[in-house]
Amino acid sequence: MLFWHVPAPNEAMLISGSKSKRQTQDTQFRIVTGHGSFVIPVKQKARMLSLALREAEITEDCVTQQGIRLNVRAVAVFKVGDDAVSIANAARRFLSEQEQMEELAGRIFAGHLRSIVGGLTVEQIIRERNRVSQEVIAGSHSEMEKLGIVVDALQIQEIEDSTGYINNLAAPHAAAVASQARIAQARADQEASEREQQAAALKAEYERDTAIKRAGFLAETEQYNARAAQAGPLAQARASHEVVEEQTALAERQAALAAQRLEAEVRRPADAEAYRQRTLAEAARDQAKFQADGSAYAERTLAQAQADANTARAGSLRDGNQELIAANRIVENLPALADAAARGMSGADLTVLNGTNGVNEMAAGVVSQGLAILHALQRGANPVKSAVDAKRSPRITESN
């Protein structure tokens, strides 16, 4: 708007001409920052005060506590304070001369700088530049506050000595530093020479190792080439060897198969036939033995029975027993019966359950039949019934 004024962010607008809106600091103008305000034409007037950062360069000849003249160059960074009091103080003093604010502030700083440097030695000024800056700021604080200025920083940039005091002050140190530099350079040269020698030795050693490795690589290469040349015949020989091994294994398997076939077809049947023949021979031997034992026992038994029969017959004849006389004829034929029974057993297919004892029992059974008849005649019993009962006693079974 035409009558609406807005200050920039780094400006303060001062409105004068209005008595009704006076500030608390009893100023004759109104201070506006950060927002706009309406200015009545003719009746009011608005002017701008810059709050931007300013820089003042200071170059001043100073005399130290030792009477040595120094040319000190410094720079001060300052601005108008943001509070209303500082703005009012700066407006009263610099509103119409804002371009000269740097020069006026620089003169004030220069005066305090001369005062501070006059109380210090050259050594203190050189070593403690920050102390000089802080004392200058502290000494000018009250004056700057009256002017509405806030000092942000003050730095000593350069100190010049026309008498050569600083150079002479630095000469021993410079000489010591130069000596140390020469010593360091000599040591560096010596170390460089040693390192060059070491590098040369390492280089020679590396070349030697490289030559040795190259020779080893060439030998390995030749060895691999020889192996590659022999790979074909070696593979063929290995293949032939494997073929021979497979043929040998096949022959071994065929021999094992032939041995198994011989075992199954020849040896086992031959063993079985030999076992059968041996078993038959043992059976024939046992049968002949059984027959001989049976015949001998039968003869002994018949002889004993005949003797007993003769004794019984003699007694019967002597006593006049007619029944025994009738049986005497049977007893006389008893040896013929026993012999017929023995021949029948020798030709019969019999199974003897208890071996030699069974044969003896059979022979005894045949003889006992005749004795049973004899005893029956002696007791006057039925000779036929007694013979039948006696016949059941032998333990002999006939097989078809």
Side-chain angles (χ1 to χ4, degrees), residues 108-130:
I108 296 173
F109 288 131
H112 287 282
L113 181 61
R114 285 195 303 270
S115 176
I116 298 301
V117 171
L120 300 173
T121 63
V122 177
E123 290 83 354
Q124 290 175 339
I125 295 171
I126 294 173
R127 290 194 302 264
E128 302 176 1
R129 291 190 180 189
N130 188 38

Side-chain angles (χ1 to χ4, degrees), residues 117-258:
V117 171
L120 300 173
T121 63
V122 177
E123 290 83 354
Q124 290 175 339
I125 295 171
I126 294 173
R127 290 194 302 264
E128 302 176 1
R129 291 190 180 189
N130 188 38
R131 173 187 172 185
V132 176
S133 301
Q134 295 299 327
E135 290 184 359
V136 171
I137 294 173
S140 62
H141 176 71
S142 59
E143 295 177 357
M144 292 298 164
E145 186 178 4
K146 292 178 182 179
L147 297 176
I149 295 175
V150 177
V151 181
D152 289 341
L154 191 148
Q155 295 292 333
I156 304 298
Q157 290 183 331
E158 186 178 359
I159 299 174
E160 296 180 355
D161 175 22
S162 59
T163 62
Y165 180 85
I166 297 177
N167 293 331
N168 295 330
L169 186 65
H173 301 286
V177 170
S179 176
Q180 293 177 359
R182 288 194 299 272
I183 293 173
Q185 184 65 36
R187 290 179 179 176
D189 294 339
Q190 182 181 359
E191 291 179 357
S193 300
E194 292 177 355
R195 291 183 179 179
E196 287 178 357
Q197 293 176 0
Q198 293 177 359
L202 292 174
K203 182 178 180 181
E205 184 178 359
Y206 176 75
E207 291 177 354
R208 181 199 64 188
D209 295 340
T210 302
I212 293 173
K213 291 182 178 179
R214 185 180 293 110
F217 292 154
L218 292 175
E220 290 181 0
T221 303
E222 293 177 357
Q223 183 178 3
Y224 287 139
N225 292 333
R227 290 181 180 177
Q230 295 174 358
L234 182 61
Q236 185 176 1
R238 288 178 179 176
S240 301
H241 180 69
E242 292 178 356
V243 170
V244 172
E245 288 183 351
E246 291 295 331
Q247 292 177 351
T248 303
L250 178 61
E252 290 178 354
R253 289 195 295 270
Q254 290 177 351
L257 181 60

Side-chain angles (χ1 to χ4, degrees), residues 278-296 342-352 355-356 358-360 362 399:
R278 187 169 56 253
T279 303
L280 292 176
E282 290 177 356
R285 181 195 63 192
D286 293 340
Q287 185 177 2
K289 182 179 180 181
F290 293 157
Q291 290 177 359
D293 292 340
S295 298
R343 285 196 301 269
M345 284 190 296
S346 63
D349 187 6
L350 302 177
T351 301
V352 181
T356 306
V359 175
N360 294 332
M362 287 191 307
S399 59

Side-chain angles (χ1 to χ4, degrees), residues 262-281:
L262 178 64
E263 178 74 19
E265 295 179 356
V266 178
R267 183 177 298 172
R268 289 184 180 178
D271 291 343
E273 180 63 24
Y275 179 76
R276 189 179 69 83
Q277 295 294 335
R278 187 169 56 253
T279 303
L280 292 176

Side-chain angles (χ1 to χ4, degrees), residues 63-78:
V63 180
T64 66
Q65 185 182 7
Q66 301 161 322
I68 299 173
R69 186 176 296 276
L70 298 177
N71 187 11
V72 181
R73 293 175 57 190
V75 60
V77 179
F78 64 94

